[in-house]
Amino acid sequence: MQSPMRMRARVAGLVLGLLAVFAGPGAAQAEPSPTTVGDVTAFAADGPVYRLTAGRTEARVSFVSPEAFRIELAPDGGFTDPTGADIVLPQGRPPATRWKDRGDRYELSTSEVTLRAYKSPLRFALHRADGTRLWAETQGLTWAGDRTTQTLARGSDEQFYGAGMQNGRGNTSHRGKTVEVGVDYNWNDGGHPNSVPFYLSSAGYGVYRNTYAPNTYVFGDPVTTTAREQRFDAYYFAGPDMKDVIGQYTALTGRPFLPPVYGLEIGDADCYLHNANRGERRTLDALKVADGYVEHDMPNGWMLVNDGYGCGYEDLAETAQGLQQRKMQLGLWTEDGLDTLAEQVRAGQRVAKLDVAWVGPGYKFALDGCKDAYAGIEANSDARGFTWAPESWSGAQRCGVQWSGDQAGSWEYIRWQIPTYAGASMSGLAYTTGDVDGIFGGSAPTYTRDLQWKTFLPVTMTMDGWAANDKQPFRYGEPYTSVNRRYLKLHEALLPYVYSYAHEATRTGVGLARPLVLEYPDDAKAATDAAKYQFLSGRDFLVAPVYQDATERDGIHLPKGTWIDYWSGRTYEGPATVDDYSAPLDTLPLFVRAGATVPMWPGGIRSYADRGPGSPLAWDVYPQGSSSFTLYEDDGVTRRHRAGEYATQRAEVEAPRSGGGDVTVRIGASRGSFDGKSRARPYDFTVHTGDAPSSVRLDGRTLPRLSGAAAFAKAPQGWWYDRDDRGGVVRVKTAALPTDRAFALELEDTAAVGGAVPGAAAAAAAPAGQELGAGTPGKVAVDVTAGSRDATDVTVSLDVPAGWRVTPAPEVDRIPAGTTRRVEVEVTPAKDAKPGEATLTAAVRYGAAGQLRTAVQRFSVAVMPEPPAGDVWASDLAWLTSTNGWGPPERDRSNGESGANDGRTLTLAGTEYEKGIGAHAESDIEVYLGGRCTTFTADTGIDDEIGGYGEVAFSVEADGKVLWTSPDVTGASATVPAEVDVTGARHVRLKVTDTDGSKSGDHGDWAAARFHCG
């Protein structure tokens, strides 16, 4: 089934194609020869506005600020501006300017920049006040037909970013690439929804083409930037760095809006009225789904209750009230326009998702829709405007979230989305995201992996109703539900951090999700593919998602500085590349920058509404040198912050740059006021030191040292050192303290992150590919590597799932510095252990450099089912993995639609089969034989129901080696028998691959597939 959105886009494409066909003979003619602007024939100055005439052509330069200006060119001498007042906001008083005639050129200057206008022919070049050249045209502006082009010299190491949301790219350099800016309705890899005609250069400048016309940027040598219109209109920004340039661009076109706090929680979308995919339902049934979030203790901030073509609503006010009682807000999809928005908002609507069909000529209709929906929410309530839309344009950052459209969940989907959203931040789009695991396809593992990393975006949503199963985070059962809850709660805990960055975006234009190059412009790898599949969440978190069906992650680039594994506390010195990072299903590769001071909400809350005046505030501190963070707070919902009703509180940390010493955390007075502000609150601190302090003082008063976790939980205030938590942390809690007074926390005789003796900590690791059998004793290996000091009295223990048994390994007296010792621990999984991945945690306790320490490592082992003892059908075995090109692979049926068990009788060349596997290329099914089988047999081919279409090849792999490959098979081919020797094979994969580049009709059957064992 295809989304009506996609069908509508395809219809639009067909219409455009037909228009081209019927456009007449002229449509096939070559583009007219380009015309290049000629010599300057006249010059006039009027304050900050300068006119240059070149025959019939007119050019105009207007300065906006000391660092920004506009160049317009009218080939026929008549200036036009199709965007009017839609995008560019009113600016302040223009700067003081001056000009000089240098003979071959005019120089137009502010205190910061000089624009050179060469006379013969007219060409522009931009220089800083100190003479440094930022850019220069290699030829004058040109136009031909409906296109106008600027041509710039490219610097030897100049890198380029921006152009809005560019699917599958954007967080690394566009250098050498062609980038399209315009609507294409391609919401998959290579598409460019939510385009922005703005790009920026590592040379220190940015360019915004003030137009609704599509653009093409070719970042070759030279750089050519073209808009499809016979006029030129561009704003230029010069800045000391890329952040400053983004700030100038968003000062011109609008800063990102500040969402309500519930908008930063996950949202849920579905059709709850007459949903053909789900059977008869009513709008109030949304409350039953909302109850699922409550019952599973999962955050959820809002619900769209009519998200589906033809889906209306009823009982709106009652639905809104019910959601609010569950600490959620009502959202609606505006498929039918905004005529009833005022009434809907008064009934309780607080979120508006805009239809893709609203994209009119040149984006104006879509931009107006964003602004009108945003304003409509605010005009009819005291809430903040909050909209979502695909296919937006410059200016939309000030009124909504940019969402990447309809996609299908898969590992490939995760891969290309990673660079997309951080890349969009380079164009001032602070809130960009995609549906968790798409709206089609998907699986439990891909949903969980996708949700993990998207919790480090500021916004995200899960959408139901189009896939075979609903996609709430609690639908897949364990272990997925628990893992999803963990990450949703982590995002909720981090909302003070996320919300502070949201406020920062209203001042700077820079969003939370960032490419590495934005914070590390001098890093040699940050602009390259080495950093493509990772991003920064704010300045402090480096996120490297898992985008393959794997339990390890390779190629994680850490830039210069000290980085701490969020889960284990292990430290790394960058620049460095981390390979073989252990990432079982519940572990997102996540690193924290040394010096980070992260505000959090403790207590595992489900909703921001669980907070109240006097609720505790936590600070997660990674001390190194001097560092700080400014917390922003307001009521989170209304617009009163715009009138100054908000507060800020600054945390400052002083610590050694490395090694031992005192650590001081100063929390400043909260400045400002808003309704619901805490007048006093307790504080929790987690200080990652790696060494226990001799004492902890609060404003000079010694706090009691507590004996352990239980005592810490009961005490009103005090501290304890937890050696087992992430390499050693100091936990501190205070009684309620007035927020209008500053205080200082002093940790004496402790250390910067990494410990008093840098490098002394040992590291734990586990070899990949370890397997255990259900109910069968086996060995699990843990590798312990001593640091710069010997590790002594080393013990290794394992935390395992319930029902498993562990026999402690003998203690190791000493592991010499810099060496590795493998320790094997006997483990017996439960007899009923489910086949598949299981997560274990190794805790290595040891002494080093005079301290008792603990190294922790999470890793996965594969639990294997009991291997077959006799002949067995492949469709009767447990499938360890099963990926498929369309829907799930089927047991004893042909490949069906997107649901399970919806295929037909397996039929090849007129023969029907009772047993077998119905797949669709690309397909990969893994089974476990344990070395007990000798032969695999099957009849292979494309199912008769396809009617002669399709082309595929079949293959059998064993333990990583290809044992058999079929010839290419078409829908008209005869059945191809397979008889494959699998003697001694432990793991066998049955694969169906596409061979003609088109997956339409690629139904590949493994008919009568059988393993002969014994």
Side-chain angles (χ1 to χ4, degrees), residues 55-79:
R56 188 164 170 252
T57 301
E58 291 281 339
R60 183 166 60 191
V61 177
S62 309
F63 283 89
V64 177
S65 74
E67 302 90 5
F69 57 90
R70 179 185 191 183
I71 297 178
E72 299 168 89
L73 181 133
D76 61 0
F79 292 107

Side-chain angles (χ1 to χ4, degrees), residues 359-699:
V359 177
Y363 286 99
K364 177 174 170 54
F365 194 40
L367 183 56
D368 285 346
C370 177
K371 292 188 286 189
D372 290 348
Y374 182 89
I377 291 173
E378 297 198 344
N380 295 281
S381 72
D382 66 349
R384 302 174 196 174
F386 188 56
T387 75
W388 283 55
E391 305 293 356
S392 62
W393 197 248
S394 286
Q397 73 274 3
R398 62 188 189 239
C399 57
V401 173
Q402 283 71 52
W403 154 74
S404 58
D406 296 348
Q407 295 109 10
S410 66
W411 296 109
E412 180 68 4
Y413 170 76
I414 297 173
R415 182 197 63 78
W416 68 254
Q417 285 209 337
I418 297 166
T420 301
Y421 307 124
S425 295
M426 301 298 267
S427 300
L429 301 180
Y431 305 101
T432 58
T433 193
D435 299 311
V436 178
D437 206 33
I439 71 170
F440 308 107
S443 66
T446 56
Y447 187 101
T448 299
R449 287 298 197 189
D450 200 36
L451 177 64
Q452 286 176 358
W453 72 271
K454 284 179 176 167
T455 59
F456 283 86
L457 301 175
V459 291
T460 198
M461 173 175 69
T462 186
M463 186 174 178
D464 311 295
W466 295 105
N469 299 292
D470 276 345
K471 290 202 169 188
Q472 282 85 20
F474 47 81
R475 293 294 187 189
Y476 287 110
E478 295 299 344
Y480 308 102
T481 296
S482 292
V483 177
N484 294 339
R485 180 189 301 111
R486 179 186 187 190
Y487 282 89
L488 288 171
K489 289 253 183 147
L490 177 58
H491 180 81
E492 197 76 17
L494 287 170
L495 278 180
Y497 176 84
V498 174
Y499 197 55
S500 295
Y501 272 99
H503 173 255
E504 180 179 295
T506 67
R507 296 183 294 106
T508 67
V510 180
L512 179 77
R514 305 175 177 193
L516 266 64
V517 74
L518 195 61
E519 297 292 343
Y520 300 92
D522 298 325
D523 188 294
K525 292 186 176 181
T528 72
D529 284 356
K532 187 172 185 177
Y533 299 113
Q534 56 191 75
F535 65 97
L536 296 170
S537 186
R539 286 178 289 275
D540 295 332
F541 291 98
L542 188 150
V543 186
V546 175
Y547 56 91
Q548 297 172 316
D549 188 7
T551 58
E552 289 191 338
R553 172 66 150 85
D554 290 333
I556 302 172
H557 175 64
L558 302 179
K560 184 178 181 180
T562 303
W563 294 90
I564 302 94
D565 185 320
Y566 185 78
W567 310 111
S568 71
R570 181 177 177 180
T571 60
Y572 298 83
E573 289 300 322
T577 299
V578 178
D579 290 323
D580 303 322
Y581 181 95
S582 181
L585 178 69
D586 65 352
T587 303
L588 168 72
L590 181 63
F591 300 83
V592 188
R593 179 184 62 86
T597 303
V598 181
M600 301 180 71
W601 287 339
I605 60 174
R606 191 187 66 79
S607 168
Y608 79 95
D610 293 334
R611 300 273 303 174
S615 293
L617 180 69
W619 290 94
D620 197 22
V621 181
Y622 296 79
Q624 185 183 74
S626 298
S627 59
S628 65
F629 189 92
T630 299
L631 170 71
Y632 172 86
E633 299 175 287
D634 60 26
D635 66 27
V637 177
T638 76
R639 304 188 296 276
R640 294 174 194 149
H641 65 288
R642 299 177 192 168
E645 294 188 27
Y646 63 86
T648 59
Q649 188 174 31
R650 184 175 175 83
E652 298 178 335
V653 179
E654 292 291 337
R657 284 296 306 167
S658 66
D662 299 340
V663 174
T664 301
V665 182
R666 294 185 178 88
I667 304 298
S670 177
R671 302 189 181 280
S673 183
F674 60 90
D675 186 30
K677 177 183 175 180
S678 296
R679 303 302 170 190
R681 60 185 170 201
Y683 291 85
D684 287 354
F685 295 88
T686 302
V687 188
H688 298 254
T689 62
D691 282 273
S694 61
S695 66
V696 176
R697 297 172 176 269
L698 176 63
D699 278 344

